[in-house]
Amino acid sequence: MTEISTDDASSVAGRSPNRLRRFLTSYVFSTDHKVIGIQFLFSSLIWLGIGGLLALAVRWQLAWPWSNMPLFGNALFADNGGQISPEFYNTLFTMHATIMIFFVVIPILSGAFGNYLIPLMIGAEDMAFPTLNMVSYWFMWPAFVCVIAMLMVPGYGASSGWTSYPPLSVLEGATSTETAQTLWVMALLFVGISSMMGAINYLTTIIQMRAPGMTMFRMPMTVWAMFVTALMQAFALPVLTSALLMQLSDQIFQTGFFLPENASANNMASASGGGQVLLWQHLFWFYSHPAVYIMILPAMGMVSDMLACFSRKPLFGYKPMVFSILSIASLGFIVWGHHMFISGMSRMLAVSFMVSTMLIALPSGIKVFNWIGTMWGGRLHLTTPMLFSVGFVSMFIIGGLSGIVMAAPPVDIVIHDTYYIVAHLHYVLFGSSILGVFGAIYFWFPKMFGRMMSDGLGKIHFFLTFIFLNGTFFPMHFLGRMPRRLADPYVYDSLKDLMPLNQFMTICAFCMGATQLIFVGNFFFSMFFGKRAEENPWRSNTLEWTATSPPPHGNFLTQPVVSRGPYEYSHPDRESDFWPQTDRV
Amino acid sequence: MSRLWSLLFYCVPVLATVTFLMAINGVWPFAACQMPPSLSTAGETIDGLFNGIHVLAVMILLGTGGTIGYVLWRFDHRRNPEGKAKYFSHNSALEFVWTLIPAIILVFLAFYQMNAWSENKMVRPTTMVSGIETQTPPMVLVKAKQFGWEFHYAGADGVVETADDLYVEGLLVVPRGQDVVLQLESRDVIHSFFVPELRLKQDVVPGMRQFVWFNANETAEVDILCTELCGWGHYKMKARLRIVEPAEFETYMEGLEATYEPPLASATKQPTSMSVADAGVTRD
C-alpha cells in the first residue's frame, strides 16, 4: 500500500527515475479512486472555465450583435473586423452545450464526486475494479483531443447544436463543419465509454463492497443517488452509443439511417436516403432525457447530505427520498417524447408523454418538501456549503415549476425552442446542479486536500453568483417569443424591442463569470495555505469523516463497522449533536 | 448575517412574483416581454393555459420559497444557542398530504389541457363537400429550405402539388375568419414554422408531410420565424404572414393568377417520391 499525502508533491522536484515513476503512478496513472476523482474534478473545472467563456461569447453576440468581440475578436476574426460570424455563433452555442453537459456536469458529478465519495462513504478501501476506474478517466482524454482537434478543422467546432439533428449534422453542404461533426460524434463516443466503465464500477462497488453493517438503507443519499445514476447510465448509454455509431456511419460511409429519400441540401443531392429523420431524435432523447437526471440526481444526493449535516437534524423522510429518486429514474425513461411534442412525431403519442412528464413532477416535488422538512426545526449553520445547498433547493423549485409549464403540450407549442426553454434548463443545470457542485466542493475540500476553504470568500462567491445567476437567467422566462440559436434575433422587427433586456442579461452573465475568479482564487490559495482541516470539521456522521484528511491509499486504517444510519443528528439520548455511523455506542 | 441570507432567499419568490405580475399586466420594463396579442381563438385557449399554470406555479413558489426564507431566519443556530435541533425523521400524515395534493393537481392539469392539444394538432377542420363532411384540404403548400420559405397556393383546382400551383416566396397571404390548412414540407434539413401571434409552431421535417391549421380572427401582418437550427443562415430565415379580409384575399389571388409567371422548373422541382410518415393525422 503506497501512502499518499500532500507532502509528496514536494518530492516531485527530484528528477530521479524512481521518483518520476512514483509521481506517475501515484498522481497520473493512479488506480486510487481518490486521485481519479480529483483528476476528474480538475479536468471538469478547466472545461467549466472554457464552456463559461463560450457562453459569454454567445451572450456578447445577443447583446451587441456583429460588434467586435472583446479580447478574442481581433485575434480570431481579423478579416471580419472582430465580428462573430453566424457560422461561428452556431459553433459557440453547440460547443458550449456539448462541453458543459458531457465534459463538465456529467463527469464532475459521477466522475469526480462519485469516484471520490462512493468507496469512502460505504467503507470500502477502493473501487471494485481500480484499473477499470483509471481507464475510465483516461478514456475522457481522446474526447478532449477530439474537441481540441476541432479547432484545426473548418469552422473551429461542430455547429449543428448539441442535439446534432440530422440531416443538418449529416448532409454534405448543410453546414460548413463536416469534419468537426465527425469529431463531435467521436468525442461523445469516448465520453460514453468512459461513463459506461464508471457506471459498471459504481454499481459493482456499491452492491459488493459495503462495510459490515452498511445495509442499503444505511447508505447516505449521495451513495443512493450515485447508485441510481449509474443504473441510468448503464441502461441509457448503449442507446446513445448505437445512435452515435449510426450517425457516424451516415457521415463517413454514406449510409442513410437518418436521411430521408432524396435528401439534399445546398443544391447537393445525397447519394443515400430512405431512412427516418425522427429516428435520431427518438434515440438521442432516449439517452438525453435520462441524462438530464444523470446531471442532477447526484447533486440532489449530496445536497441532501449537506442539508442534514448543517441543520443538525435527521434527513426528513429518508426512505421516501430514496423511493422518489428511484421513481424519477424509472419515469425518466418514458418521458423523452416531451422534447419532441412538435417535432412531427405522432401527435397522439404526445399525450402519453405529457402524462408521464406530469407524473415525474411528483417525486421531484416530494424531494423539495422533504428538504424543507429537513431544515424545519433544525439548528442551521449557514456555512458556505449550506448556502449553496439552500440555493440549490431554491433554484430547483423554479426550474421544476417551469418544467411543469412546458410539460403541457399546448403551452409547449408556443415556448418550444425559445428562450423560455433556455431559462428552464439553466435553472436546473446551472442554478441547481452547478450550485450543488460548488457546495460539494466547499464541503469535501477539507477531506480531499486536508485544508479548509475560506468561508468568508465562499460566502461572497455564493452571494454574487446567486444574484447574477438570477439576473442572467430569470429574464429569459419573459422571452417566450424569442427563438433560441438565432445569431441575430433583431433581424425580426418583432424582436427588436428585446435588445435592452438581452443587454442586461449579458452584463449579469459577465459579472457572474468574473465572480468565479473569487472561487478559483479561494480554491488554489486554500489548497496550499488554508487552515489545516481535522478529520471531521463539519461534525458529520458519514464514514468518510472517520478517515484522515486526506485519507491514505486504502482509505481506512481499520475496517469500519457500521452501527446505524447516516442521519442520527441531535439524537435526544446523546449529549453531542451527531452520532457517527461507526460509533459502537 | 442570518437575516441577510433569509432576506436573500425571500427575494427569490417575491421578485419572481412581482416580475410575473408586471409581465402579464404589461408594466415597464416587462411590457416588451409579453407574448404578442393572440390573433386566433385557439391562441386564446393556449394563453389561458399558459397564464393559469403560471399562476399555480407562482403560488407554489411563494409557498415553498417563502418557507425557505422563514426557516433560514427562524432556525438559525445563533437564535437558539443552547438547545438542540428537534429530532424527528418523518411525519406520515404530512407526507401523505403533500403527495396526494400535488398528485391531484398534476392529474387534473394533464386531463384539462388535452382538448387544447387535440384542437390545435389532432382534429383537422372539416368542410362540407357535396353534403359530406371532409377534412379541409390544404390551401397552401409551405416548403421550407435553407434559408427561406416558399408558399405554393393551390390555384384554380383547389389542390396543392398540381401544375396550376402559384408559387410565392417570403410572403403568405391568408383570409381572416376562415379555417386555413397548411401543408408543411422541407427541401433539405429540419426547419420549424413559428407564428407567435397565432400560437402556432410545427417542425418541418424532410421526408414527412405535415398539416397545421388556424383561424385568424383579425387582420394583421406578422413575422414567420424558423425555430429549428437549420444552418448558418438560420437567424435570417424569415417570411411575412399577412392576414386580410376574405374579399381582399380574393382580389390578391386574382391578381396573383393574372400576373403569375412560373419560376424556372428547377426551382420548384418536386421530389420524385415522398416517404410520407403519418403525423397522427388521418388524410384523405
Side-chain angles (χ1 to χ4, degrees):
Chain A
M1 200 193 286
T2 41
E3 289 251 332
I4 301 174
S5 73
T6 43
D7 295 353
D8 276 5
S10 57
S11 65
V12 177
R15 282 278 176 268
S16 86
N18 251 352
R19 285 186 168 181
L20 182 69
R21 193 192 162 92
R22 216 176 78 190
F23 172 75
L24 282 177
T25 51
S26 47
Y27 288 101
V28 183
F29 297 102
S30 169
T31 54
D32 182 355
H33 71 99
K34 298 184 292 298
V35 176
I36 297 168
I38 290 169
Q39 286 171 331
F40 265 112
L41 181 70
F42 274 104
S43 46
S44 309
L45 286 176
I46 290 168
W47 283 110
L48 179 64
I50 296 170
L53 287 175
L54 293 173
L56 293 184
V58 169
R59 284 299 336 161
W60 175 263
Q61 171 75 2
L62 288 174
W64 293 282
W66 319 124
S67 56
N68 192 335
M69 183 168 51
L71 301 177
F72 303 103
N74 285 335
L76 284 172
F77 308 109
D79 30 338
N80 283 349
Q83 284 181 0
I84 296 174
S85 65
E87 297 95 317
F88 190 64
Y89 178 80
N90 292 356
T91 300
L92 282 173
F93 64 70
T94 301
M95 296 314 293
H96 163 67
T98 305
I99 286 172
M100 287 304 197
I101 290 166
F102 294 104
F103 291 1
V104 180
V105 182
I106 293 177
I108 207 169
L109 287 170
S110 305
F113 288 104
N115 249 315
Y116 196 90
L117 294 176
I118 291 172
L120 278 167
M121 282 186 146
I122 62 172
E125 58 179 17
D126 206 318
M127 286 285 177
F129 309 114
T131 313
L132 186 72
N133 204 18
M134 178 187 83
V135 177
S136 108
Y137 175 69
W138 288 106
F139 255 91
M140 290 299 284
W141 276 84
F144 298 163
V145 170
C146 284
V147 168
I148 293 162
M150 282 185 203
L151 293 172
M152 295 157 207
V153 299
Y156 306 119
S159 68
S160 53
W162 81 279
T163 50
S164 196
Y165 280 2
L168 183 67
S169 55
V170 170
L171 268 186
E172 201 185 344
T175 61
S176 51
T177 56
E178 283 127 21
T179 321
Q181 292 305 143
T182 306
L183 286 168
W184 182 91
V185 171
M186 286 166 61
L188 259 63
L189 278 170
F190 286 119
V191 172
I193 294 169
S194 161
S195 295
M196 186 52 123
M197 291 194 234
I200 297 302
N201 216 343
Y202 300 167
L203 289 175
T204 317
T205 308
I206 293 170
I207 293 171
Q208 292 291 339
M209 312 240 322
R210 280 170 288 127
M214 178 64 90
T215 59
M216 287 302 265
F217 281 110
R218 279 181 183 171
M219 296 197 309
M221 282 310 293
T222 304
V223 181
W224 262 111
M226 296 292 178
F227 180 68
V228 176
T229 304
L231 268 178
M232 295 185 87
Q233 288 197 319
F235 282 99
L237 264 169
V239 177
L240 178 75
T241 307
S242 32
L244 285 170
L245 286 172
M246 285 154 83
Q247 183 167 134
L248 194 66
S249 140
D250 275 8
Q251 288 173 351
I252 296 179
F253 306 118
Q254 265 85 48
T255 52
F257 290 112
F258 305 126
L259 292 178
E261 199 64 42
N262 295 310
S264 73
N266 202 11
N267 290 327
M268 281 191 258
S270 164
S272 45
Q276 245 298 345
V277 173
L278 287 186
L279 176 62
W280 164 263
Q281 297 185 25
H282 280 291
L283 296 175
F284 180 80
W285 287 114
F286 185 82
Y287 166 77
S288 291
H289 196 79
V292 168
Y293 299 107
I294 290 168
M295 288 185 274
I296 196 157
L297 288 183
M300 284 179 167
M302 296 190 294
V303 162
S304 305
D305 283 353
M306 289 186 275
L307 282 177
C309 172
F310 292 112
S311 302
R312 314 308 296 161
K313 248 192 85 223
L315 184 72
F316 190 91
Y318 171 73
K319 280 193 181 175
M321 289 292 246
V322 172
F323 293 132
S324 52
I325 282 193
L326 285 167
S327 50
I328 289 175
S330 43
L331 282 170
F333 278 99
I334 53 165
V335 297
W336 80 89
H338 66 218
H339 297 267
M340 300 175 60
F341 283 151
I342 61 150
S343 69
M345 76 168 181
S346 160
R347 295 168 180 183
M348 186 72 91
L349 194 57
V351 177
S352 47
F353 279 121
M354 176 265 289
V355 174
S356 54
T357 307
M358 286 285 169
L359 287 180
I360 209 167
L362 193 58
S364 316
I366 292 172
K367 292 195 79 74
V368 169
F369 295 141
N370 282 352
W371 285 321
I372 296 176
T374 303
M375 292 190 279
W376 190 273
R379 271 181 97 246
L380 306 191
H381 292 255
L382 297 182
T383 57
T384 308
M386 177 65 168
L387 288 171
F388 274 104
S389 304
V390 182
F392 171 101
V393 179
S394 174
M395 296 295 96
F396 181 73
I397 293 171
I398 297 182
L401 289 171
S402 59
I404 296 178
V405 175
M406 61 191 59
V411 177
D412 188 65
I413 294 174
V414 186
I415 56 181
H416 181 83
D417 257 328
T418 67
Y419 263 80
Y420 195 98
I421 307 290
V422 182
H424 164 76
L425 73 94
H426 282 96
Y427 264 91
V428 182
L429 282 184
F430 189 94
S432 307
S433 293
I434 295 290
L435 286 198
V437 163
F438 278 136
I441 291 175
Y442 284 100
F443 189 67
W444 278 290
F445 188 92
K447 188 54 60 184
M448 288 178 175
F449 303 104
R451 290 176 189 270
M452 306 293 287
M453 281 180 87
S454 157
D455 200 48
L457 283 177
K459 281 175 174 161
I460 297 171
H461 173 221
F462 168 75
F463 182 80
L464 295 176
T465 304
F466 195 72
I467 302 257
F468 291 129
L469 107 84
N470 282 292
T472 308
F473 299 123
F474 198 79
M476 290 182 186
H477 287 112
F478 301 110
L479 298 182
R481 66 192 162 100
M482 180 173 138
R484 303 164 73 175
R485 298 170 168 175
L486 297 183
D488 179 6
Y490 316 111
V491 300
Y492 293 101
D493 288 336
S494 55
L495 299 178
K496 280 208 166 79
D497 54 354
L498 298 177
M499 200 174 203
L501 194 67
N502 271 306
Q503 288 168 340
F504 171 78
M505 295 189 302
T506 298
I507 292 167
C508 287
F510 274 80
C511 293
M512 184 161 73
T515 302
Q516 305 317 312
L517 296 175
I518 303 174
F519 170 75
V520 174
N522 191 357
F523 189 92
F524 286 106
F525 184 84
S526 307
M527 194 187 265
F528 299 106
F529 308 106
K531 196 177 103 206
R532 286 231 177 253
E534 354 156 1
E535 269 180 19
N536 192 358
W538 311 114
R539 294 178 298 137
S540 176
N541 286 346
T542 41
L543 292 186
E544 78 274 26
W545 301 105
T546 59
T548 54
S549 299
H553 200 162
N555 296 341
F556 299 97
L557 302 175
T558 54
Q559 171 65 56
V561 178
V562 177
S563 315
R564 66 189 58 76
Y567 299 115
E568 296 297 319
Y569 292 104
S570 302
H571 196 280
D573 298 347
R574 280 174 63 90
E575 207 170 304
S576 105
D577 66 353
F578 70 116
W579 200 354
Q581 285 187 277
T582 46
D583 270 16
R584 290 300 168 89
V585 279
Chain B
M1 273 304 265
S2 65
R3 296 246 165 132
L4 170 82
W5 299 122
S6 163
L7 202 65
L8 182 71
F9 283 102
Y10 265 128
C11 280
V12 174
V14 171
L15 286 179
T17 310
V18 168
T19 48
F20 169 71
L21 290 175
M22 285 164 84
I24 58 169
N25 292 301
V27 179
W28 186 89
F30 294 101
C33 311
Q34 279 182 300
M35 286 305 279
S38 166
L39 296 177
S40 68
T41 32
E44 278 152 28
T45 318
I46 291 177
D47 284 1
L49 275 172
F50 184 83
N51 288 336
I53 300 177
H54 269 100
V55 167
L56 193 72
V58 164
M59 279 159 49
I60 298 171
L61 178 63
L62 275 176
T64 48
T67 313
I68 290 176
Y70 172 73
V71 161
L72 288 193
W73 166 79
R74 170 69 181 77
F75 298 110
D76 189 80
H77 76 283
R78 274 159 298 200
R79 273 179 55 92
N80 179 14
E82 295 302 318
K84 265 169 129 177
K86 294 197 186 104
Y87 179 85
F88 61 89
S89 61
H90 62 280
N91 180 332
S92 305
L94 193 61
E95 288 174 75
F96 182 72
V97 169
W98 76 35
T99 310
L100 191 67
I101 292 178
I104 293 171
I105 295 175
L106 289 167
V107 171
F108 170 76
L109 270 183
F111 282 96
Y112 184 73
Q113 67 197 336
M114 279 180 189
N115 271 341
W117 174 252
S118 80
E119 273 163 33
N120 274 287
K121 291 284 185 186
M122 284 162 69
V123 186
R124 188 161 144 193
T126 53
T127 37
M128 300 302 275
V129 179
S130 52
I132 305 160
E133 198 176 2
T134 50
Q135 289 190 316
T136 311
M139 177 185 284
V140 186
L141 164 63
V142 180
K143 289 208 168 199
K145 64 183 179 189
Q146 288 178 319
F147 300 98
W149 300 92
E150 298 172 1
F151 302 104
H152 301 255
Y153 291 88
D157 61 356
V159 181
V160 293
E161 291 181 284
T162 49
D164 67 343
D165 283 6
L166 302 166
Y167 158 71
V168 180
E169 189 139 339
L171 176 70
L172 175 63
V173 181
V174 295
R176 185 189 68 85
Q178 286 182 17
D179 288 328
V180 176
V181 177
L182 304 178
Q183 179 177 332
L184 303 179
E185 285 170 23
S186 168
R187 284 197 179 282
D188 36 49
V189 300
I190 306 175
H191 303 276
S192 190
F193 183 87
F194 181 33
V195 184
E197 285 79 2
L198 295 172
R199 310 294 188 264
L200 175 68
K201 189 183 287 156
Q202 179 63 53
D203 281 8
V204 189
V205 183
M208 289 178 80
R209 177 184 293 161
Q210 302 187 79
F211 300 93
V212 292
W213 47 88
F214 59 90
N215 191 329
N217 50 22
E218 271 172 68
T219 58
E221 186 172 322
V222 295
D223 279 327
I224 296 169
L225 299 86
C226 177
T227 47
E228 186 63 66
L229 178 65
C230 58
W232 71 271
H234 169 56
Y235 72 102
K236 56 173 193 177
M237 180 168 165
K238 61 175 180 174
R240 297 289 279 178
L241 168 71
R242 192 183 295 157
I243 304 160
V244 298
E245 292 296 343
E248 198 183 329
F249 179 69
E250 296 295 322
T251 330
Y252 173 79
M253 286 307 290
E254 280 160 21
L256 193 62
E257 274 177 60
T259 58
Y260 188 69
E261 278 176 42
L264 289 173
S266 63
T268 49
K269 204 185 75 184
Q270 306 284 332
T272 45
S273 73
M274 173 75 72
S275 63
V276 178
D278 198 309
V281 185
T282 35
R283 264 188 315 278
D284 35 10

